[in-house]
Amino acid sequence: MASQDSSAFTRPALLLGLLFLALIAMFYRASGYDLQSLWLAAAFFENGPAAVYAVSGDTFQMKPPDAWMAAVLAGETTSAIYPYIYPPIWAWALAPLTDAIDFQAFLLGMSFLNAALVTAMVYLAWRIASPGLPALAFIGICAVIAMTSLVVLLPLSEAQPQIIVSFLILLGIERDKSNHPIIGGAAMALAAAIKLYPLIFALFWLCGGRRATFSSFVITGAALGLTSLAVAGWPMHAAFLHEISAISGTVLTSLAIFSLDPLLAVMLIGTENMASVTTQATGGATGWQVYAKPALWSVISLGVQLVTIAGLGWLAWKTRLKDPLFWPLAFIAIAWVSPLSWLYHYMTAIFFLPALLHRFGTVSGILLSFLIVMPTNLAVRTFFSALFDSPLAIVVTTNAALLLAAIAFFIAVIRSQRPFQT
């Protein structure tokens, strides 16, 4: 019996170790363009708000400050440059490091950290899901997804800080589920201090009766917010909030942005009727389209977000968060109605797909999972290239897959723990 227990633990741990090594081998030389915005914000922090935030007009065009572009053009290398849209505290915290090491050393360290966090997210998803599926099978499926889906590959290649946020979200939920509310709330608060939207997930704790976890979130979040104000000052925060407001009033479309607003823009307006922005000025090869939302669109978009949050809050209250698959449903739904959701915002949900094999039965679960990951799977895109021969096809199929995932998780929650009879 002891030998069987040891084997049940050792094999999943070994598989997680192999996943980590594989991700390191694939991405230890990541491009790091997304991470570079954090580095540049830290390097220019002492120069004031206009050197950290781009100070957009009413429309968010995702352009960096002029000082960044001048600095990159004056250097020996060229690259795509993206703006910094995180709270000021992180630029302040990293500023001393920019004097101690160069960006390439920082990028290498973050590449190793990101690979470790993605591996840890697989384990956390298994812990949260209580899937009724052997750990080895669950982790094996997640490992295949991690090494083949752009939902994971894209942020790893860019050394995207979103990986830290996604890890902290899952850590917070797992700690709450394991009766460690103080750590759970603190982890979610730290995630919200990097990207604001995890605040919504904390509200679901309140709706679901997790008062201790929510209280920990509020106390930790308040401490982080006050610290940020103390070290960075109000003008820096005003610039940050202005960028957030500009994002809410803008539609951005690209082959890496998937949510309701850009889907409607692509289908109803057309990218040819939108303003184009590229990174060619600094030697980059990426681009996107920008459209200013009319006032009515903004009101309807906000209304859809509020209705979605309210609906999920009601579901959290009704189920008391007893079904762990509520969380991937919430991750997808909130991202899909948000103003700017990149593909990697769905990373927290994709690692719950193996749980569908238990809830819907093996055959139906495998079919559902394949349909969900198909538009973002590199092998599928290669072998079925005819299905993805245009930007519109990629946008439509990916959004359809996300909606299918949300529906599948919703049905799983409604039917509770009972396996779905096919």
Side-chain angles (χ1 to χ4, degrees), residues 44-412:
F44 282 86
F45 182 79
E46 296 298 332
N47 294 25
V52 175
Y53 298 100
V55 192
S56 303
D58 294 334
T59 302
F60 179 73
Q61 297 193 347
M62 213 169 79
K63 291 182 177 180
D66 293 339
W68 295 13
M69 299 181 70
V72 170
L73 290 173
E76 297 180 356
T77 60
T78 57
S79 69
I81 309 177
Y82 304 121
Y84 178 77
I85 49 176
Y86 302 94
I89 187 174
W90 308 115
W92 167 83
L94 188 63
L97 192 61
T98 61
D99 295 325
I101 63 173
D102 63 13
F103 175 68
Q104 290 303 316
F106 179 61
L107 173 60
L108 180 62
M110 288 300 299
S111 297
F112 274 79
L113 175 63
N114 283 342
L117 293 182
V118 168
T119 304
M121 287 170 61
V122 171
Y123 174 72
L124 290 172
W126 173 73
R127 291 268 300 173
I128 296 167
S130 301
L133 195 69
L136 193 63
F138 190 99
I139 293 171
I141 295 171
C142 286
V144 172
I145 292 173
M147 293 188 293
T148 60
S149 174
L150 289 170
V151 176
V152 182
L153 299 181
L154 177 61
L156 283 172
S157 69
E158 297 282 352
Q160 169 56 239
Q162 175 65 37
I163 294 175
I164 299 175
V165 177
S166 298
F167 165 77
L168 288 170
I169 290 172
L170 292 187
L171 178 64
I173 293 169
E174 189 278 331
R175 288 292 81 193
D176 170 71
K177 184 175 183 288
S178 300
N179 297 317
H180 295 281
I182 295 177
I183 298 175
M188 190 69 77
L190 186 55
I194 303 173
K195 285 284 188 76
L196 299 180
Y197 75 93
L199 166 66
I200 299 172
F201 304 137
L203 292 178
F204 298 147
W205 274 333
L206 181 63
C207 295
R210 303 288 209 275
R211 295 181 181 178
T213 313
F214 182 75
S215 297
S216 174
F217 170 86
V218 171
I219 294 170
T220 307
L224 288 168
L226 291 173
T227 301
S228 186
L229 281 170
V231 300
W234 173 247
M236 194 74 77
H237 286 80
F240 165 64
L241 294 175
H242 176 80
E243 294 303 288
I244 298 299
S245 176
I247 289 173
S248 298
T250 306
V251 179
L252 268 76
T253 69
S254 85
L255 295 183
I257 302 174
F258 299 96
S259 59
L260 178 59
D261 279 347
L263 175 63
L264 292 176
V266 168
M267 297 183 68
L268 302 180
I269 299 171
T271 55
E272 68 278 4
N273 298 316
M274 303 171 67
S276 294
V277 181
T278 72
T279 58
Q280 293 178 357
T282 55
T286 54
W288 50 91
Q289 297 76 40
V290 178
Y291 180 76
K293 292 182 186 176
L296 180 59
W297 188 332
S298 293
V299 170
I300 294 174
S301 181
L302 178 61
V304 170
Q305 293 171 49
L306 294 176
V307 168
T308 302
I309 294 171
L312 289 168
W314 174 85
L315 188 60
W317 170 80
K318 188 71 174 178
T319 64
R320 309 303 288 179
L321 295 177
K322 292 180 179 179
D323 193 320
L325 295 193
F326 166 84
W327 291 110
L329 167 63
F331 299 152
I332 297 170
I334 294 301
W336 202 69
V337 300
S338 295
L340 181 59
S341 291
W342 298 88
L343 185 60
Y344 41 75
H345 281 88
Y346 300 94
M347 184 166 39
T348 46
I350 199 170
F351 291 134
F352 287 86
L353 288 181
L356 297 180
L357 275 66
H358 173 66
R359 296 297 185 90
F360 287 83
T362 302
V363 175
S364 297
I366 290 175
L367 178 60
L368 275 172
S369 298
F370 174 77
L371 292 174
I372 291 168
V373 301
M374 182 183 71
T376 63
N377 183 280
L378 289 180
V380 171
R381 283 196 179 187
T382 300
F383 289 110
F384 299 96
S385 58
L387 295 175
F388 307 99
D389 60 353
S390 70
L392 179 61
I394 293 175
V395 169
V396 171
T397 55
T398 304
N399 278 284
L402 293 171
L403 288 177
L404 177 61
I407 292 169
F409 285 121
F410 177 74
I411 292 174

